[in-house]
Amino acid sequence: MIIYKKDYISIAYYEAEKLLEITWLAYAPSGAYREAMLHYLHALQHYDIKRWLIDYRLSRVVRPSDQEWTRNEWLPRFIEQSQQLEKLARVKSTDISARISSENMLRHIDRSQLPYKFMEFEYYGEARSWLLA
């Protein structure tokens, strides 16, 4: 079931698998990016989510000010609210600039402190299979 949809993102919840699947489809300007990220938090509050799939294959670069907002304001809230997650899989962008901006945000996270398993993948199918295994 699609719970949020814009030209640049789609968020779907699959109740049987307790899976939230986020697919970035294009570049999102600052306000749109932040609105979409806040929908992640909304989903955590309103759905029984154990598995989280973030598909960045079509995503584009995130502005430096939005990277900072994500690290400093959004991420602490996400980690606090994501305690029920068991697994999170991330499919990397095919765009090199998007990969760099994403890595800039991720390098500030101590992954050993995450309360769930986290894996990165090049391919969507591998990520989904790992989540559902």
Side-chain angles (χ1 to χ4, degrees):
M1 147 179 77
I2 301 291
I3 60 173
Y4 183 74
K5 176 87 170 128
K6 299 288 183 182
D7 292 342
Y8 50 88
I9 193 171
S10 175
I11 301 177
Y13 176 66
Y14 301 96
E15 187 174 5
E17 294 88 6
K18 298 189 183 320
L19 169 68
L20 190 76
E21 185 169 322
I22 300 159
T23 306
W24 284 93
L25 304 166
Y27 171 75
S30 184
Y33 169 82
R34 293 180 188 204
E35 177 184 311
M37 296 296 286
L38 292 173
H39 274 276
Y40 290 17
L41 302 177
H42 180 267
L44 284 169
Q45 294 167 357
H46 293 91
Y47 297 93
D48 183 18
I49 303 167
K50 301 292 182 198
R51 298 170 185 89
W52 189 284
L53 175 58
I54 248 180
D55 183 355
Y56 283 115
R57 288 177 294 173
L58 300 176
S59 71
R60 296 299 175 248
V61 69
V62 175
R63 295 176 42 173
S65 61
D66 292 326
Q67 291 178 37
E68 184 177 334
W69 174 84
T70 301
R71 278 191 312 270
N72 298 330
E73 295 183 38
W74 180 85
L75 185 61
R77 292 174 63 192
F78 177 79
I79 290 175
E80 179 183 312
Q81 293 179 29
S82 63
Q83 300 299 308
Q84 80 275 17
L85 291 183
E86 295 172 0
K87 291 180 171 180
L88 188 147
R90 180 179 174 275
V91 183
K92 295 179 182 181
S93 177
T94 57
D95 180 84
I96 190 66
S97 297
R99 279 188 186 222
I100 291 168
S101 69
S102 184
E103 289 302 319
N104 283 339
M105 288 184 282
L106 287 174
R107 73 173 173 217
H108 297 281
I109 299 171
D110 180 358
R111 295 178 190 182
S112 70
Q113 299 299 310
L114 295 175
Y116 45 81
K117 295 177 186 172
F118 174 83
M119 292 284 293
E120 292 186 283
F121 297 88
E122 294 290 332
Y123 303 104
Y124 170 85
E126 291 175 355
R128 199 162 204 286
S129 293
W130 176 77
L131 277 175
L132 298 176

